[in-house]
Amino acid sequence: MSARRIAVSAALALCAVSQLGSAQGATAANAAPNTLTAAERAAGWRLLFDGHSFAGWRGLGYDSVPTAHWKVENGTIKKIANKDVAKGADGKRIPGGDLMTDSTFGNFELEWDWKMTPAGNSGLKYNVSEELSGGQPSNVLRPATGSAGVSHSAIGFEYQMIDDDRHSDGKLPTHRSGALYDMLVPSADKHLAPVGEWNHSRIVFVGNHGEHWLNGVKVVEYELGSPRVDSAFTHSKFHTMPWYPQRRTGHIVLQDHGDEVYFRNMKIRTRG
């Protein structure tokens, strides 16, 4: 076969794969929120959020969900803005913290939708150890009312989600939406939906390979242990934590950064 015919055949094959992927994506997008299509179930996907409860979730360092800060609303997980959190008997706002999966994951693909409010900031963290984050110094978890000396903020790789234009952190390239927070800058050709509209994100984390996707565009790609990632770690705020860039089976975490943000259609599948 001539080189020209080979090139044409390859282009047609790529076009067919692209069209199949688009059709599958459209099918998933048209499905009811927080459900899986038959094709997704067959491919090994499972929901992390059922659309109506916190089954499978709890607060980091807590034995349950800190519901003064997190609620299920209209088929979404909502982080209640700190300014709207009720006050306790002592006149202080009831403590909150990050929300994490009960389960841990090693090699996986993860997808979810998220919607930000003006000047909001949040993140989805992965490769998280509750113990290393300081949330579980013993085998006894605390009630979801706050605990002195216990951290409720996860430390791990973070897919940044933020109002790039209005939040001050958006001025820093490694703190913009889609970034591997404080380490790797997202691609300049990303498409971020306007504040108040839904974004679709995806993480691939298999072996030492990682990818961040935003609205169908790959915005970050990395290899743990590479000179690029090692240098990024050395210059990050995490450089005093030698365990930070190490690969582990970890929790998936939704960040409590104090701002109102919404999550839905959270699904995951493990990879070999």
Side-chain angles (χ1 to χ4, degrees), residues 128-201:
V128 171
S129 162
E130 185 177 23
E131 183 176 4
L132 291 172
S133 296
Q136 192 178 5
S138 70
N139 290 328
V140 179
L141 295 175
R142 276 65 176 175
T145 53
S147 309
V150 177
S151 172
H152 300 291
S153 179
I155 300 174
F157 298 162
E158 180 180 343
Y159 183 113
Q160 174 76 320
M161 297 176 289
I162 191 172
D163 180 348
D164 281 354
D165 295 329
R166 296 179 182 87
H167 196 285
S168 59
D169 247 17
K171 298 176 182 178
L172 302 175
T174 58
H175 291 194
R176 295 173 184 159
S177 287
L180 178 59
Y181 177 75
D182 210 52
M183 290 182 62
L184 299 178
V185 177
S187 171
D189 64 353
K190 75 180 186 185
H191 169 67
L192 182 64
V195 167
E197 295 185 12
W198 289 103
N199 292 279
H200 180 73
S201 291

Side-chain angles (χ1 to χ4, degrees), residues 37-45 269:
T37 65
E40 287 174 327
R41 288 193 294 271
W45 290 94
R269 67 173 172 178

